[in-house]
Amino acid sequence: MKKNKKSFKDYMWIISAMYLFLGIFNILFAWLGMICFLVPLIMSISGKGKSYCNNYCGRGQLLDLMGNKMQLSRYQDIPGFLKSKAFRYGFLIFFLTMFLNMIFNTYLVFKGTNDLKEVLTILWTFKMPWNWGDLSGATPWVAQFAFGFFSVMVTSTILGIVTMFLYKPRSWCVYCPMGTMTHMISKAKYKEK
């Protein structure tokens, strides 16, 4: 029996893992995460629906690998409230509010009103000071955006891992803000239900 030949998209989980790893050693790698932020939206707007989520999302693949291949998941059904429209849209609004706050803080650093805050904020609450990595050549607002964006990416990864442990491997995908946005775009574009 012939094995299915794997393509590059089957290894996108490596990119997600490398992103997190590289960001620890140089926060400026956080800017690469914008690819994962913009590509799903561009694909959805161009008529590809949720194909990024279903085929290319490295985080989803990483959670699948950890949950299924490494058997770290409890394989329980995700609670109904996490699947509800109210929670998904509410979480999207919360997520976008935090993203806009990050943009505003970057703007304040850009204008010189605020100083660069070398800190990662995990789960939007816990501040972890950044005591390593050389930022001497970085423009302050560029570094501020990187700290904010990496905080968002680490936080969403932690939420994905927690729900992977508690429920099914790709439970994060049910309420992922990017998935919700691409679904909304597809729904508006094609009047899907």
Side-chain angles (χ1 to χ4, degrees):
M1 201 168 172
K2 212 178 206 182
K3 284 188 175 182
N4 290 341
K5 189 174 180 180
K6 293 195 175 201
S7 69
F8 79 94
K9 68 181 182 179
D10 297 313
Y11 298 100
M12 296 299 285
W13 66 270
I14 295 171
I15 293 172
S16 278
M18 286 298 296
Y19 172 79
L20 294 169
F21 180 76
L22 291 172
I24 290 170
F25 294 102
N26 188 334
I27 196 67
L28 298 178
F29 278 108
W31 278 85
L32 292 175
M34 286 302 293
I35 296 168
C36 299
F37 192 80
L38 295 173
V39 169
L41 297 175
I42 292 167
M43 288 178 73
S44 187
I45 289 167
S46 66
K48 301 218 182 331
K50 290 185 67 168
S51 64
Y52 179 87
C53 298
N54 298 330
N55 299 306
Y56 302 103
C57 179
R59 177 174 296 149
Q61 288 180 5
L62 187 60
L63 293 171
D64 190 54
L65 176 77
M66 291 171 68
N68 285 319
K69 294 209 168 104
M70 298 170 81
Q71 298 184 342
L72 297 176
S73 179
R74 292 178 52 220
Y75 302 102
Q76 301 294 313
D77 286 334
I78 191 168
F81 81 90
L82 287 177
K83 294 189 246 182
S84 72
K85 280 185 180 180
F87 181 82
R88 287 185 296 118
Y89 293 136
F91 186 68
L92 173 61
I93 290 167
F94 174 75
F95 190 86
L96 289 175
T97 301
M98 294 297 107
F99 187 78
L100 290 174
N101 184 49
M102 178 200 77
I103 297 289
F104 182 67
N105 285 327
T106 300
Y107 172 75
L108 292 177
V109 171
F110 174 76
K111 292 296 280 181
T113 309
N114 282 5
D115 292 328
L116 171 64
K117 294 179 188 97
E118 294 183 42
V119 65
L120 291 180
T121 307
I122 307 298
L123 298 172
W124 300 287
T125 306
F126 306 104
K127 296 189 183 303
M128 300 178 65
W130 194 263
N131 297 322
W132 63 89
D134 181 22
L135 294 175
S136 59
T139 305
W141 74 267
V142 170
Q144 186 63 58
F145 182 88
F147 279 110
F149 198 74
F150 198 64
S151 294
V152 167
M153 295 298 272
V154 169
T155 293
S156 57
T157 301
I158 290 170
L159 291 173
I161 289 170
V162 168
T163 53
M164 180 272 303
F165 280 133
L166 295 175
Y167 309 113
K168 292 182 179 171
R170 289 186 73 149
S171 294
W172 161 256
C173 300
V174 171
Y175 64 96
C176 169
M178 293 309 301
T180 303
M181 282 193 285
T182 57
H183 177 75
M184 288 171 61
I185 292 167
S186 295
K187 194 173 173 183
K189 195 168 174 102
Y190 300 107
K191 311 246 185 308
E192 296 174 353
K193 288 189 179 184

